[in-house]
Amino acid sequence: MLQIISIVILIFICFFLLIMFIDCNRFITTVYEIESKKISREFTFVLLSDLHNKSFGKQNERLLKAIDKLSPDAVITAGDIITAQRGEKYMIAAAFMEQLAAKYPVYYGMGNHEHCVGEEPERFGDIYEKYMEILYKAGIEPLINENVSLPSANIKVCGLQMDRQRYYGKFVKKAMPENYLRDILGNADRDSFQILIAHNPDYFEDYAKWGADLVVSGHVHGGLMQLPVLGGVISPRLTLFPKYDGGRFECGTSIMLLSRGLGTHTLPIRIFNPGELVFVRLRPHS
C-alpha cells in the first residue's frame, strides 16, 4: 500500500513539474475592448508586464511575431521587464525593447524591479544606467510620475513610480494617504481618457479615486498557480488568494486590466498559469 501511495505521489509531482515547465515557456494572448465617450478615435495597444528578462525563442522571436500579428498602435509596459538580481543580465530585455521601439511607440512604465536596481547601485552596479541609456537611445523615455499626450485619440498615459519601501512590502498592505497620488502625479486629466500605468494592482481603489479611466498593472504573475474558482494562489506580498491576480476589474467608472505577466523570477513557477500577452482595443463610445 505504501509503495502504491509513493508511486501516486511521484506521478503527481512529475505532472506538476511538467505543467510548470510548459507554462513557464509559453504565453497566451488575451484581448480586451473598452469604449469611452472621451476617446476620439480607435486606439490599440499591447500590454507587456513582468518579462523579467525572459526570451521566448531566439531574440524573443515568438513574442515579437505575436505582437506584429496584432499590429498595435503602441506598446505599453507595466514594469519589471528586467529583474533586480545580482549578476542578472539585462541585454535580452534591452534588445527586445530596441526591436519594439523600431516598430512602435513604446510607453514604458516602471516596476519595482527597475526601481530597486536604480535605487541600490551598491548592489547592482551600473545596470540601471546602462539599461536606461539603451532605452533612451532607442527612443523610449520611461514615464516616471509623468504624463504623455496622445492628442489624436484624446488619450493621456501616465506612469506611476511610488515609494517602493512603503508600497511593495510583505504581508501587510499599507494605506495610501488621500493626496499621495495627486502630490506626485498632479491631477488626472478629466477631459482626456486617462491611462495610468501602475505596476502594483493592490491600490486600484486609490488609482480610481485619483481619476484614472484605465489602469494597467502587473506584478502578481497570476498568483503563480491558478486554481478553479479560487484563482491565483499567492501574491508578492505573500498573502494567499489575492483579490487581484489577473484579468479585468472595475471600481466605479474606472477599469483595471491586470496582466498575469510573461516571465518569472526567484521561483520559476507557473502552474495552470501561462504567460500573458494583453491586447487592448480602445474605441469611441457608439
Side-chain angles (χ1 to χ4, degrees):
M1 184 65 178
L2 183 60
Q3 186 178 16
I4 293 174
I5 293 174
S6 298
I7 291 172
V8 170
I9 292 173
L10 181 61
I11 290 172
F12 268 96
I13 291 173
C14 291
F15 171 73
F16 278 103
L17 287 174
L18 177 62
I19 295 297
M20 186 168 66
F21 175 79
I22 292 172
D23 279 357
C24 282
N25 290 284
R26 72 183 182 106
F27 62 89
I28 61 172
T29 300
T30 305
V31 178
Y32 296 100
E33 294 193 2
I34 295 171
E35 291 188 353
S36 172
K37 293 179 179 179
K38 295 181 180 181
I39 298 168
S40 59
R41 71 163 180 86
E42 182 173 295
F43 181 82
T44 63
F45 66 89
V46 159
L47 172 63
L48 303 173
S49 181
D50 302 276
L51 183 65
H52 287 292
N53 210 40
K54 183 172 179 58
S55 186
F56 291 93
K58 186 178 180 181
Q59 297 181 335
N60 255 313
E61 59 187 3
R62 285 197 287 133
L63 189 53
L64 284 165
K65 185 177 180 180
I67 293 171
D68 288 342
K69 186 176 180 180
L70 294 167
S71 188
D73 294 314
V75 172
I76 293 178
T77 79
D80 285 4
I81 304 301
I82 59 174
T83 300
Q85 185 174 320
R86 289 185 180 181
E88 177 74 13
K89 296 179 180 179
Y90 60 90
M91 284 307 301
I92 291 174
F96 176 57
M97 298 312 297
E98 286 178 315
Q99 291 180 81
L100 285 177
K103 296 181 177 182
Y104 311 103
V106 177
Y107 304 101
Y108 195 112
M110 305 291 271
N112 57 301
H113 280 255
E114 287 96 345
H115 197 177
C116 180
V117 169
E119 277 193 333
E120 302 183 28
E122 68 280 2
R123 288 178 60 197
F124 303 106
D126 59 357
I127 288 177
Y128 182 82
E129 287 75 14
K130 288 182 176 178
Y131 183 60
M132 289 296 114
E133 182 181 1
I134 291 170
L135 293 185
Y136 278 106
K137 283 184 178 179
I140 302 170
E141 297 187 14
L143 296 173
I144 303 176
N145 297 331
E146 58 182 325
N147 255 311
V148 63
S149 294
L150 311 178
S152 65
N154 196 38
I155 291 171
K156 281 196 173 178
V157 182
C158 184
L160 169 65
Q161 179 170 279
M162 56 191 183
D163 189 321
R164 184 174 61 88
Q165 299 297 331
R166 180 176 178 83
Y167 299 114
Y168 286 96
K170 304 298 183 187
F171 306 113
V172 178
K173 174 187 171 184
K174 293 188 177 179
M176 182 177 285
E178 184 176 351
N179 294 326
Y180 178 77
L181 292 175
R182 189 174 62 186
D183 288 344
I184 63 173
L185 299 176
N187 293 317
D189 188 333
R190 302 284 180 166
D191 296 322
S192 300
F193 186 81
Q194 180 73 71
I195 298 175
L196 179 66
I197 309 172
H199 184 67
N200 187 349
D202 283 350
Y203 294 89
F204 177 37
E205 290 81 4
D206 296 279
Y207 307 149
K209 288 178 184 177
W210 174 73
D213 295 296
L214 173 63
V215 179
V216 291
S217 294
H219 189 52
V220 186
H221 295 204
L224 301 186
M225 178 179 181
Q226 286 279 316
L227 295 177
V229 182
L230 295 174
V233 171
I234 190 166
S235 78
R237 276 197 291 122
L238 302 182
T239 57
L240 295 176
F241 307 113
K243 178 181 179 179
Y244 301 125
D245 58 350
R248 173 175 170 150
F249 303 90
E250 296 185 11
C251 179
T253 60
S254 296
I255 295 170
M256 178 170 71
L257 300 180
L258 172 54
S259 168
R260 292 184 172 90
L262 287 156
T264 62
H265 72 90
T266 310
L267 296 175
I269 297 175
R270 279 187 176 274
I271 300 175
F272 309 127
N273 179 37
E276 183 178 41
L277 177 66
V278 176
F279 179 70
V280 183
R281 180 176 287 109
L282 303 177
R283 289 177 168 169
H285 184 69
S286 55

